[in-house]
Amino acid sequence: MTHWYMLTLVGEDRAGIVARVTQALYEGGCNLGEASMMRLGGNFTVMMMVSAAGTEDEVRDMLDGVVAELGLRLHIDGIEGRLHQHVMPDVRVTVAGADRAGIVAQVTGALAGAGFNILELESDVAGSERAPLYIMHIEGVAAAGVEAVRAAVEPLAGAGIDVRVSAVETLIG
């Protein structure tokens, strides 16, 4: 019987993290499902679904050497696999504004108020230390349609936040 786990690893960004972690899992007989891996600041974070015949402790044991050697922190949760059950985004929201406390909460609160389900959110800090700019790219599903999302974020312009909303064109076949 196989079990699904969500692995989260965080550590200082360096070459070879993905190769070392995935090799250890492969050698331990694991299969990978979906994964998200990225640099955030000077750190690297990995979230991946892993299918394994063993227990959570056995998966942790597979990674102990790599985690210790690379100075990573590891967290494991048992999950349901649910592969191939993707919801496709129908709206893309792009945000830019002066970096300040609360900008993410303001934007995501307005989106939630419009019934917008966030599927992916990526953010970055650009500009300079004196004039930092916060940028977000958000994709999701707008239950009430793209115009409802536009109306919900329109008041943010008064708070100095530039929000652009567009439909995602999905071509299938």
Side-chain angles (χ1 to χ4, degrees):
M1 173 181 214
T2 61
H3 306 278
W4 280 98
Y5 302 100
M6 181 67 72
L7 277 59
T8 306
L9 295 109
V10 178
E12 185 178 332
D13 187 25
R14 64 180 66 183
I17 293 174
V18 175
R20 298 282 308 281
V21 168
T22 56
Q23 183 66 34
L25 292 168
Y26 170 72
E27 289 173 2
C30 296
N31 289 311
L32 300 183
E34 297 174 8
S36 178
M37 305 177 198
M38 66 179 53
R39 175 210 46 84
L40 297 170
N43 303 288
F44 192 73
T45 184
V46 175
M47 285 182 18
M48 66 174 67
M49 297 172 62
V50 175
S51 173
T55 66
E56 180 180 316
D57 287 337
E58 290 171 322
V59 172
R60 186 176 307 281
D61 289 345
M62 288 175 210
L63 294 171
D64 273 348
V66 172
V67 165
E69 186 178 327
L70 296 177
L72 303 173
R73 289 177 304 285
L74 170 65
H75 181 84
I76 302 175
D77 289 298
I79 61 168
E80 295 288 325
R82 295 190 191 136
L83 297 176
H84 313 292
Q85 297 179 19
H86 292 281
V87 174
M88 297 299 292
D90 62 1
V91 173
R92 178 175 298 116
V93 179
T94 305
V95 178
D99 185 20
R100 59 176 171 71
I103 190 170
V104 177
Q106 268 189 293
V107 172
T108 58
L111 294 172
F116 186 79
N117 180 22
I118 295 174
L119 300 175
E120 292 190 25
L121 184 154
E122 290 185 21
S123 66
D124 202 355
V125 178
S128 66
E129 285 188 39
R130 288 183 184 217
L133 180 67
Y134 202 80
I135 301 167
M136 285 186 280
H137 300 283
I138 305 168
E139 289 190 355
V141 177
V146 69
E147 291 308 320
V149 174
R150 281 191 182 112
V153 298
E154 190 174 326
L156 298 175
I161 303 171
D162 179 42
V163 183
R164 300 178 192 267
V165 178
S166 60
V168 173
E169 298 299 327
T170 307
L171 300 174
I172 300 176

